[in-house]
């Protein structure tokens, strides 16, 4: 299997926790942890397989550090890149914007021809609307520590199992 990057902010708490659980679920030496706050085009492009941690902040917005990288992303040709998104959100606190960050990022990546993988079912979540929703799936993994913390580990393990079949 090729080396996979997990790109997430090292300064977050919950997003970082999920990154560590994802790394554990993979064979750890196949996965490289990369700080989203220090990402640049050449580092991003050096990986063929990328997992991105994208929480939703500010009522349906991307975290600042991802927002700052969006102009660079919009100039990249991502064809051939396999990218899987995981998001953190709060379905009870923000039912109209649940996991929107994943949807915003998915839209940007798809416009640049990335091969998005790792979609998951919306079953088991309660919310009103989400930009991450595609039919009856989210465009990535949805983790909600505020309301469904105990389900997180199982969701992460199942997701990694499915990613292992898609990654080279
Ligand atoms: C000010 C604020 C705004 C938020 N807005 C949203 C939102 O619009 N949609 C959502 O699903 N979650 C929202 N959340 C919940 C966070 O995404 C959730 O707490 C997540 O676990 C944060 O992860 P992090 O601490 O690793 O960044 C918000 C949280 C805060 C504090």
């Amino acid at each position: 299997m090729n080396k996979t990057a997990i790109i997430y902010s090292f300064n977050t708490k919950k997003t970082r926790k999920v990154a560590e659980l994802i790394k554990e679920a993979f064979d750890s030496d196949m996965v490289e942890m990369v700080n989203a706050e220090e990402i640049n085009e050449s580092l991003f492009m050096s990986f063929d397989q990328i997992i991105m941690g994208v929480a939703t902040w500010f009522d349906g917005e991307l975290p600042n550090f991802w927002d700052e990288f969006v102009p660079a992303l919009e100039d990249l040709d991502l064809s051939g890149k396999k990218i899987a998104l995981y998001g953190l959100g709060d379905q009870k606190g923000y039912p109209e914007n649940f996991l929107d960050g994943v949807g915003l990022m998915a839209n940007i990546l798809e416009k640049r021809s990335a091969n998005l993988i790792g979609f998951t079912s919306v079953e088991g979540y309660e919310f009103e609307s989400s930009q991450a929703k595609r039919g009856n799936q989210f465009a990535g993994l949805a983790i909600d520590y505020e309301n469904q913390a105990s389900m997180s580990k199982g969701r992460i393990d199942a997701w990694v199992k499915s990613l292992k079949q898609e990654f080279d």
Side-chain angles (χ1 to χ4, degrees), residues 12-15 55-60 88-90 94 97-99 146:
T12 52
K13 235 185 179 171
K14 291 175 240 169
T15 308
T56 303
W57 289 4
F58 314 121
D59 295 359
L88 287 92
D90 172 352
Y94 303 89
N97 300 96
F98 180 53
L99 218 76
E146 275 79 5

Side-chain angles (χ1 to χ4, degrees), residues 129-148:
S129 61
S130 170
Q131 300 208 40
K133 194 165 176 275
R134 305 285 171 86
N136 58 5
Q137 291 192 306
F138 292 118
L141 172 67
I143 296 295
D144 182 343
Y145 274 119
E146 275 79 5
N147 307 293
Q148 297 178 326

